[in-house]
Amino acid sequence: MTQHPRISKAVIPAAGLGTRFLPATKATPKEMLPVVDKPAIQYVVEEAVAAGLDDVLMVTGRNKRPLEDHFDRNYELESALQKKGDAGRLAKVQESSDLATMHYVRQGDPKGLGHAVLCAAPHVGEEPFAVLLGDDLIDPRDPLLQRMVEVQEQRGGSVIALMEVAPEQIHLYGCAAVETTEDSDVVQVSGLVEKPDPADAPSNYAIIGRYVLDPHIFDILRRTEPGRGGEIQLTDALQRLAEDEKIGGPVHGVVFKGRRYDTGDRGDYLRAIVRLACEREDLGPDFRTWLRSYVAEEM
């Protein structure tokens, strides 16, 4: 197979208002809500870096300054911890500022995910790049993004992450029509539709928040009219790529069967915290003991 250029840039759209988490997100970006003891956005940046993408562009909006502050140095706090001799907490504070080369651009108008991705065009240029949505946290033991990068480098074009969901849930996601390939975890995408009615869905393969995109997507997004919800949908632009490989190569999907934590819904956000806390070496043993006792008492 042809070896395609190495991907080095990741784009993280983070301009949403987080209305499902009000009033917590009235003054705090939803991406900064803690998942155990780290903000959700840090898990996403760590995932990009683990896949070899250490050039990260965050697409932000108004009231998102805390995102920039989190990944910047805090000399006053570092100095205070250093004077206390608290090396453990000092290392945790410095970890976020040393993770990656961070860049920021504002999405002035909330015109949808497709528009947010288009805001990255001047930074990305003519290179393939990854897009990571902050609502989906992927367990680092299941390196989805690394596999997607590998598939894109081998096959070219664009690669999306897919997960099988119950048919009655497909209306919550973008949905892909697929054909098998010689790789058991890779499918070729022949069509996409955003949040279809279950009766009209071409499959139960749902798009989850990871993409590796060919830069031709920018030209398509510039010509894409607002779709569902009056927004410029990334799914609509990917549909155009899937229809005509001559534009920017094929669209493939990596079928993910690993551990995914959905932090975009309040209930799933709480479940994600419980699952991750249970698996922590420092917190897990005591927390699991308490949780068993609590459940037994409540039942």
Side-chain angles (χ1 to χ4, degrees), residues 47 131-133 136-138 144 148 159-161 208-211:
E47 180 187 351
V131 174
L132 298 87
L133 305 189
D136 284 320
L137 304 187
I138 304 298
L144 169 62
M148 295 174 67
V159 182
I160 62 177
I208 58 175
R210 298 294 180 270
Y211 309 80

Side-chain angles (χ1 to χ4, degrees), residues 56 126 176 184 231 254 257 267 283 286:
V56 178
E126 299 300 319
S184 60
E231 298 182 335
V254 170
K257 297 182 179 180
L283 298 173
D286 287 343

Side-chain angles (χ1 to χ4, degrees), residues 27-106:
T28 301
K30 69 172 183 176
E31 297 85 3
M32 289 300 296
L33 295 178
V35 180
V36 188
D37 54 4
K38 286 191 296 191
I41 194 67
Q42 184 169 332
Y43 289 88
V44 180
V45 174
E46 288 173 348
E47 180 187 351
V49 172
L53 315 181
D54 58 2
D55 183 320
V56 178
L57 174 72
M58 203 167 291
V59 183
T60 67
R62 293 183 62 191
N63 303 321
K64 298 285 185 168
R65 182 61 185 270
L67 293 171
E68 298 184 33
D69 291 341
H70 180 71
F71 292 101
D72 199 0
R73 298 291 299 273
N74 186 327
Y75 293 102
E76 293 83 358
L77 178 58
E78 291 177 25
S79 177
L81 293 171
Q82 198 165 29
K83 288 177 181 178
K84 290 182 178 180
D86 195 339
R89 287 191 174 88
L90 177 61
K92 289 182 178 180
V93 167
Q94 292 175 332
E95 182 181 8
S96 60
S97 57
D98 295 336
L99 268 175
T101 302
M102 301 294 298
H103 309 270
Y104 303 90
V105 64
R106 280 200 174 192

Side-chain angles (χ1 to χ4, degrees), residues 57-293:
L57 174 72
M58 203 167 291
V59 183
T60 67
R62 293 183 62 191
N63 303 321
K64 298 285 185 168
R65 182 61 185 270
L67 293 171
E68 298 184 33
D69 291 341
H70 180 71
F71 292 101
D72 199 0
R73 298 291 299 273
N74 186 327
Y75 293 102
E76 293 83 358
L77 178 58
E78 291 177 25
S79 177
L81 293 171
Q82 198 165 29
K83 288 177 181 178
K84 290 182 178 180
D86 195 339
R89 287 191 174 88
L90 177 61
K92 289 182 178 180
V93 167
Q94 292 175 332
E95 182 181 8
S96 60
S97 57
D98 295 336
L99 268 175
T101 302
M102 301 294 298
H103 309 270
Y104 303 90
V105 64
R106 280 200 174 192
Q107 181 186 15
D109 297 315
K111 296 179 181 178
L113 176 58
H115 180 259
V117 171
L118 186 56
C119 291
H123 180 78
V124 170
E126 299 300 319
E127 305 174 31
F129 63 104
V131 174
L132 298 87
L133 305 189
D135 287 348
D136 284 320
L137 304 187
I138 304 298
D139 195 294
R141 293 167 295 183
D142 301 310
L144 169 62
L145 187 59
Q146 289 174 250
R147 176 58 175 152
M148 295 174 67
V149 168
E150 179 183 274
V151 171
Q152 198 281 335
E153 290 175 346
Q154 292 172 349
R155 299 173 179 264
S158 298
V159 182
I160 62 177
L162 300 173
M163 176 176 277
E164 289 190 79
V165 300
E168 61 270 19
Q169 292 183 320
I170 197 65
H171 71 283
L172 301 172
Y173 299 87
C175 177
V178 303
E179 300 170 4
T180 59
T181 71
E182 65 274 16
D183 292 321
S184 60
D185 65 333
V186 178
V187 293
Q188 182 150 354
V189 177
S190 57
L192 299 118
V193 59
E194 182 67 19
K195 296 182 178 178
D197 290 331
D200 299 326
S203 73
N204 65 331
Y205 283 105
I207 305 169
I208 58 175
R210 298 294 180 270
Y211 309 80
V212 177
L213 301 176
D214 182 277
H216 285 90
I217 196 77
F218 294 130
D219 289 334
I220 297 174
L221 285 169
R222 291 185 184 101
R223 301 192 300 269
T224 299
E225 295 295 326
R228 189 179 181 92
E231 298 182 335
I232 298 173
Q233 297 290 346
L234 181 59
T235 304
D236 293 342
L238 284 165
Q239 166 66 18
R240 183 75 182 94
L241 285 178
E243 287 174 343
D244 188 354
E245 293 186 16
K246 295 178 182 178
I247 298 175
V251 178
H252 287 93
V254 170
V255 180
F256 183 61
K257 297 182 179 180
R259 287 157 284 202
R260 166 180 171 258
Y261 311 108
D262 184 355
T263 61
D265 171 83
R266 288 174 299 173
D268 286 337
Y269 169 75
L270 293 173
R271 284 185 281 272
I273 293 173
V274 171
R275 289 175 64 183
L276 288 168
C278 284
E279 294 177 1
R280 286 270 295 261
E281 291 184 3
D282 57 339
L283 298 173
D286 287 343
F287 185 66
R288 288 193 300 270
T289 298
W290 173 84
L291 190 60
R292 290 190 193 100
S293 175

